Amino acid sequence: AMTDGKSKSLVAYHEVGHAICGTLTPGHDPVQKVTLIPRGQAKGLTWFTPGEDPTLISKSQIFARIVGTLGGRAAEEVIFGRAETTTGASSDLMQVSNMARQMVTAFGMSDVGPWSTSEGQSGDMIMRMMARNSMSEKLQTDIDVAVKKIADEAYEVALQQIRDNREAIDEVVELMIENETISGDEFREILEKYTEIPEENKKFLAPAM
């Protein structure tokens, strides 16, 4: 496991940041567990249980996922200062940009408008069509602007959630540094001492046996 105390604590804050922001943003799947144990490339990993049928996914669900994905970086920034952002955070940013681009292109969920709603065309295909198209340059710019706007809004939400829940975060991190992994239920129990989890997110949770 990790010996270096600082890097362990950085990973813990990063992972708890994902878990907090996912759990507190309406529309997000429940956290199954939060762990420091590295799996392949990812340093730690916050596991979310997929809630419902992915074809019924709503704008708020994708946005919540973006906020959750940015939670790791937001935690690093709030707790360690901007200079400390890790490579884990930069791979998160790639994911965010993909999800936001999907919101804009495949789902038409932005000011750019629903110009891709034709059945069965994936965002990629639209991208390829646009590349061949003379109007593509302006459209491309509009998409980039819309993607950045979604990501910026989501990051503000994530930063706010980290700042508002610092005590809960510290308590969870302490437990994780001790145990390396905590279950989603343990995590939510701590969080609920400090704040409310949105009703919408609770309905995904299986009733306790």
Side-chain angles (χ1 to χ4, degrees):
M2 283 170 279
T3 42
D4 171 12
K6 175 137 199 243
S7 86
K8 193 168 181 176
S9 132
L10 184 68
V11 173
Y13 276 105
H14 182 98
E15 294 305 315
V16 174
H18 283 307
I20 289 266
C21 291
T23 302
L24 295 180
T25 309
H28 207 294
D29 306 318
V31 178
Q32 283 177 306
K33 60 180 172 182
V34 192
T35 180
L36 290 180
I37 299 161
R39 265 178 194 43
Q41 280 310 97
K43 270 291 194 298
L45 199 52
T46 307
W47 293 68
F48 293 101
T49 9
E52 293 172 74
D53 179 351
T55 56
L56 301 176
I57 200 156
S58 68
K59 183 175 180 172
S60 74
Q61 286 172 303
I62 303 179
F63 187 75
R65 227 160 268 184
I66 292 174
V67 174
T69 305
L70 287 169
R73 191 196 160 129
E76 290 183 27
E77 182 176 322
V78 170
I79 287 138
F80 298 95
R82 197 182 271 278
E84 289 279 347
T85 312
T86 58
T87 49
S90 55
S91 75
D92 290 342
L93 295 179
M94 292 279 299
Q95 254 186 299
V96 164
S97 138
N98 292 340
M99 285 187 284
R101 198 161 286 275
Q102 229 185 350
M103 271 177 82
V104 175
T105 55
F107 299 99
M109 296 173 176
S110 77
D111 309 340
V112 180
W115 38 263
S116 73
T117 48
S118 45
E119 283 301 280
Q121 293 187 345
S122 70
D124 297 340
M125 187 169 156
I126 285 148
M127 290 308 213
R128 282 202 301 274
M129 281 163 39
M130 279 171 16
R132 290 201 301 264
N133 206 319
S134 55
M135 67 165 204
S136 68
E137 217 162 290
K138 174 171 183 342
L139 201 47
Q140 204 65 60
T141 310
D142 288 349
I143 289 171
D144 290 342
V145 169
V147 165
K148 186 179 184 323
K149 188 174 164 220
I150 290 169
D152 288 347
E153 273 172 36
Y155 195 53
E156 282 310 311
V157 172
L159 286 170
Q160 199 53 54
Q161 288 176 348
I162 300 294
R163 292 190 191 108
D164 292 347
N165 294 286
R166 185 61 200 269
E167 282 174 81
I169 292 170
D170 289 342
E171 187 175 332
V172 175
V173 164
E174 238 171 272
L175 194 60
M176 279 180 73
I177 285 172
E178 225 172 288
N179 302 339
E180 298 213 317
T181 301
I182 64 169
S183 73
D185 289 336
E186 286 175 282
F187 166 72
R188 281 181 288 274
E189 201 174 305
I190 295 171
L191 186 54
E192 291 198 287
K193 294 198 300 201
Y194 299 93
T195 189
E196 299 240 320
I197 294 172
E199 277 309 312
E200 186 181 338
N201 290 2
K202 283 182 169 170
K203 72 168 196 273
F204 290 126
L205 295 169
M209 297 309 279

